[in-house]
Amino acid sequence: MTLRRGRGDQMSIQVPIKADEEGFIGRECPENECLGYFKIQPGTGLTGDNLPCYCPYCGHKDPHDHFWTQQQLAYAKSIALREMGDYFHRELKKMEFDIKPRGGFGIGVSMKVKQGARQPIRHYREKTLETIVDCGQCTLRYAVYGVFAFCPDCGTHNSQQILTKNCELARKQIELAATVEDADLKRHLLEDALENAVSVFDGFGREACRVNAAKATNPAKAEAVSFQNLNNAATNVQKVFGIDLPGGIHTDEWAFAVRCFQKRHLLAHTMGVIDEKYIAATSDPTAVAGRRVQVSADEVRQLLEVVQKLGEHLVTKLGAIESSEGKH
């Protein structure tokens, strides 16, 4: 960081901003309505001169030197004030003199310069954040509050990357279930993996709609789209974005995903006991009202593949709207 004393003044002070113990440097969005704090790891991501920076939370774009945190600025200013104080003290020290009195009635004159209290340094520590992300597009390593974010280097939103990562975690849960002998625990792990698959797609879908709400016919409704019920989600996405959500997969895959999402509803609200609403919504030929819904490992694996296809389809279609309107 470089601080200058004033317009046209050649004096400048270089103040190094050090990385924290994990190699990250704090950043802060300059937008007053955001002021979001995040961190980036120097040495990762894009290389080149005059690259912009994006706020992970609101997407605001500005030069990198607009993203210093208030704590970093206060630290740099305290360093600069101390440096300038020391500089002026040294210059005044050069002007010291001591003229001894001469003759019986001579008068001596002297000037001594003493340094007062030096400017205190306002030290700071970078904050601890919740999620570290390695951008899948430009490899920048950054840290944010929450989970979803724009990459500070390339501006790519990480919603699809987070979806993929959590689908992998669900697959590991299925692998763990295969090693368990206890039938109840095995069933619980598989049911939990199915619930996680639905939840992560719901979170992904909501975030994808939120960050693209400005492109929707009704931005407020776009930000309120839920993906826990796939048929309702398809209707709403069609209305606000003009996107055919089921069109991203085969008809039988869509029917399969709808059935799995309905199973998740039973697991969350009826302890997995089948009711007439489930039968009507899914036309599941194996379903019997009053009995417990069955979840298999192969079924969850297939669901994970389908939601990833749907995720890719939604991101691609949302990107096409952006391209057709010439937006960035």
Side-chain angles (χ1 to χ4, degrees):
M1 180 185 295
T2 300
L3 298 180
R4 292 179 172 80
R5 287 174 56 194
R7 185 175 181 180
D9 197 318
Q10 296 300 312
M11 181 178 180
S12 64
I13 299 173
Q14 297 287 340
V15 181
I17 300 297
K18 297 181 180 179
D20 64 16
E21 58 274 11
E22 294 182 312
F24 288 92
I25 290 179
R27 314 254 67 193
E28 184 178 285
C29 179
E31 279 289 288
N32 289 329
E33 295 181 359
C34 180
L35 299 177
Y37 175 84
F38 60 102
K39 297 192 291 188
I40 62 173
Q41 189 174 76
T44 63
L46 300 177
T47 58
D49 298 326
N50 302 317
L51 294 174
C53 183
Y54 299 85
C55 172
Y57 308 108
C58 71
H60 175 76
K61 177 183 176 183
D62 247 333
H64 269 274
D65 60 4
H66 288 207
F67 284 81
W68 298 116
T69 71
Q70 294 304 305
Q71 291 76 18
Q72 289 168 345
L73 290 173
Y75 166 73
K77 288 178 181 178
S78 69
I79 292 286
L81 288 172
R82 172 173 284 194
E83 289 290 331
M84 286 190 287
D86 291 346
Y87 168 79
F88 288 129
H89 177 259
R90 289 192 301 270
E91 292 301 306
L92 290 172
K93 195 74 173 172
K94 295 176 184 178
M95 301 170 63
E96 286 184 340
F97 60 87
D98 184 12
I99 301 175
K100 302 295 183 182
R102 295 179 180 179
F105 298 97
I107 297 175
V109 180
S110 66
M111 183 181 78
K112 297 290 184 181
V113 178
K114 293 184 178 180
Q115 187 173 25
R118 301 177 75 196
Q119 167 70 31
I121 303 301
R122 299 187 63 176
H123 294 282
Y124 69 96
R125 288 182 62 86
E126 300 292 3
K127 300 175 184 178
T128 300
L129 298 179
E130 298 168 342
T131 304
I132 294 177
V133 182
D134 294 297
C135 179
Q137 293 295 319
C138 72
T139 72
L140 178 73
R141 200 158 194 255
Y142 61 98
V144 294
Y145 289 116
V147 176
F148 296 109
F150 295 98
C151 171
D153 257 16
C154 66
T156 301
H157 198 264
N158 71 349
S159 53
Q160 190 173 2
Q161 183 179 350
I162 295 298
L163 171 64
T164 300
K165 180 178 179 180
N166 281 276
C167 284
E168 288 303 318
L169 290 176
R171 290 186 178 93
K172 291 180 180 179
Q173 197 170 2
I174 297 171
E175 293 173 3
L176 177 61
T179 67
V180 173
E181 294 183 2
D182 184 277
D184 289 336
L185 179 56
K186 183 188 294 288
R187 183 182 69 243
H188 175 77
L189 287 171
L190 292 176
E191 291 176 350
D192 191 58
L194 183 140
E195 289 190 81
N196 288 340
V198 174
S199 296
V200 71
F201 185 75
D202 179 47
F204 154 82
R206 288 173 185 266
E207 185 68 8
C209 289
R210 184 189 70 81
V211 300
N212 289 280
K215 307 173 193 175
T217 56
N218 187 323
K221 287 187 176 180
E223 292 190 11
V225 174
S226 169
F227 287 78
Q228 291 188 8
N229 182 302
L230 277 186
N231 285 325
N232 289 344
T235 299
N236 291 326
V237 168
Q238 179 67 52
K239 285 181 179 179
V240 297
F241 290 110
I243 294 174
D244 177 18
L245 187 61
I249 55 178
H250 296 299
T251 303
D252 56 344
E253 288 180 315
W254 178 260
F256 167 78
V258 168
R259 184 167 66 250
C260 288
F261 274 55
Q262 288 295 323
K263 284 189 177 184
R264 180 265 176 190
H265 182 82
L266 293 179
L267 294 170
H269 300 287
T270 69
M271 296 293 290
V273 177
I274 298 170
D275 56 20
E276 295 297 338
K277 290 183 179 179
Y278 169 82
I279 296 174
T282 65
S283 300
D284 185 348
T286 66
V288 177
R291 295 186 181 179
R292 189 177 181 88
V293 70
Q294 299 299 309
V295 177
S296 70
D298 288 341
E299 184 177 31
V300 181
R301 288 192 189 94
Q302 184 180 349
L303 176 62
L304 291 169
E305 292 178 2
V306 171
V307 298
Q308 285 192 258
K309 286 182 182 180
L310 283 173
E312 183 177 355
H313 173 65
L314 181 59
V315 168
T316 300
K317 290 300 183 180
L318 289 171
I321 297 174
E322 183 177 30
S323 299
S324 66
E325 295 180 357
K327 296 181 180 179
H328 182 73

